[in-house]
Amino acid sequence: MQRAETARAALLCSHPGADIALLKVDVGSLKSVLEAAKELKQRYRRLDYLYLNAGIMPNPRIDFNAFINGLFSRKAIHMFATGEGLLTQEDQVTEDGLQNVFATNVFGHFILLRELEPFLCQSEKESLVIWSSSSNARRSAFSLTDYQHTQGKESYSSSKYATDLLSVALNNHYNKQGLYSSVVCPGLVMTHLTYGILPPFFWTLILPIMLLIRMFTNSFTLSPYNGAEALVWLFKQKPESLDPLAKYYSCTSGLGSNYVKPVKMDLDEEAAEAFYQKLLDLETKYRCWQNVK
């Protein structure tokens, strides 16, 4: 909570009249999610925005052969921008019996949203749910028959594609109730998650290369401030005006200007609905299990 307290203090310095409250929740633990939802329902009467930004990439590994081959190929820019073919992870199982990446990046958020549904679906004002996805979200890494990604090594990519599907399904089910959902991609940002893939000194060494590549692809936002561009931009939009099938990318030009670019997602609505129904089934099983306990 120390980083959250620091951020809160900084915000209060610039906005002394703001009401900023903190609540600790582990979205990888369904017990923690339910406790947090209960607390939120006691604090507030409605919610206008829900940013679902938490995510993990445990034990990331990089295929150096693929990296070297890609570095000197025509796909170098695409490789840097998406991490396609480079990243694998070693997942684990949570105390709830779920794959950790799926539980943290997808299902915990889903349960939180389901718990807060009455506070988001208000007739007098639209609400917006905003998911942080990734350019690493790929159809090829996801399977409806293994949506927790128990059999593969690309659990992060699978989970981010799952959030894309879920966002589309939520719009189909909730738009008439005033709840809208959008997906953003922050671009390539230097964070603790990024430094978990490769050591900081390596990123420092290739920073000039990344700045050069930014002249050709603007998804290299690099800083958290730049990466948050789409998150802030969505706050200023009317939810009903947004494209439910688009992912909104934070972009930074070669000259350092930030902007937002909508990109059509590589998915279909039938798959989104099928995945949504599987999540509802899993939710039912979990709640039955909780009642038995």
Side-chain angles (χ1 to χ4, degrees):
M1 291 287 283
Q2 184 177 354
R3 292 172 60 193
E5 292 284 0
T6 301
R8 179 178 182 273
L11 287 169
L12 287 174
C13 285
S14 57
H15 301 81
D19 180 8
I20 303 173
L22 301 178
L23 176 62
K24 185 177 181 180
V25 56
D26 176 7
V27 288
S29 165
L30 297 178
K31 178 182 178 182
S32 177
V33 169
L34 294 175
E35 290 174 350
K38 181 179 179 180
E39 177 65 25
L40 288 171
K41 287 186 281 189
Q42 291 174 348
R43 289 186 188 184
Y44 306 106
R45 298 175 60 183
R46 83 173 193 208
L47 295 171
D48 298 321
Y49 295 88
L50 182 62
Y51 282 80
L52 301 175
N53 187 55
I56 59 170
M57 185 191 290
N59 306 309
R61 299 288 184 270
I62 190 165
D63 185 334
F64 282 99
N65 288 330
F67 175 78
I68 297 299
N69 291 333
L71 187 63
F72 299 101
S73 73
R74 294 179 180 180
K75 295 184 178 180
I77 294 177
H78 177 76
M79 179 189 70
F80 273 106
T82 66
E84 183 174 345
L86 289 181
L87 298 175
T88 63
Q89 300 88 40
E90 293 292 335
D91 206 355
Q92 297 178 339
V93 177
T94 70
E95 62 181 14
D96 297 307
L98 303 171
Q99 292 298 122
N100 193 24
V101 174
F102 167 79
T104 305
N105 296 6
V106 185
F107 195 59
H109 292 108
F110 176 71
I111 293 297
L112 179 64
L113 189 152
R114 292 278 290 165
E115 286 290 308
L116 298 176
E117 182 181 315
F119 294 76
L120 290 162
C121 297
Q122 300 279 333
S123 58
E124 64 270 17
K125 190 179 186 300
E126 295 86 0
S127 59
L128 181 60
V129 174
I130 300 172
W131 301 80
S132 287
S133 182
S134 170
S135 57
N136 191 239
R138 299 199 324 279
R139 182 195 289 256
S140 61
F142 179 83
S143 170
L144 279 172
T145 59
D146 184 26
Y147 58 85
Q148 291 196 47
H149 206 73
T150 60
Q151 303 300 317
K153 295 291 185 180
E154 296 182 274
S155 52
Y156 181 80
S157 179
S158 174
S159 72
K160 291 304 179 180
Y161 188 79
T163 63
D164 296 351
L165 291 171
L166 182 51
S167 180
V168 171
L170 289 173
N171 281 308
N172 290 336
H173 282 271
Y174 288 102
N175 280 180
K176 291 182 179 180
Q177 300 177 51
L179 172 61
Y180 294 81
S181 180
S182 287
V183 183
V184 304
C185 174
L188 179 62
V189 180
M190 296 295 101
T191 64
H192 291 293
L193 189 149
T194 316
Y195 293 138
I197 301 171
L198 291 167
F201 78 86
F202 180 84
W203 293 109
T204 302
L205 286 175
I206 67 171
L207 181 59
I209 298 175
M210 291 192 292
L211 291 173
L212 178 62
I213 293 176
R214 187 192 271 179
M215 301 298 295
F216 305 96
T217 178
N218 296 338
S219 61
F220 281 36
T221 49
L222 301 184
S223 75
Y225 179 88
N226 294 343
E229 182 70 18
L231 294 167
V232 177
W233 181 85
L234 282 172
F235 177 80
K236 302 175 182 179
Q237 310 306 308
K238 292 182 179 180
E240 63 271 21
S241 69
L242 299 169
D243 184 351
L245 297 178
K247 183 181 297 186
Y248 292 90
Y249 280 72
S250 295
C251 297
T252 303
S253 72
L255 298 178
S257 299
N258 293 330
Y259 63 97
V260 175
K261 179 182 179 181
V263 177
K264 201 79 168 179
M265 291 188 285
D266 177 27
L267 51 75
D268 61 77
E269 296 188 55
E270 288 186 5
E273 178 61 24
F275 178 57
Y276 180 73
Q277 293 301 325
K278 286 181 178 292
L279 289 183
L280 291 178
D281 291 342
L282 184 60
E283 177 192 4
T284 300
K285 292 178 182 178
Y286 170 73
R287 293 189 188 276
C288 290
W289 177 65
Q290 284 293 99
N291 290 334
V292 171
K293 289 178 65 179

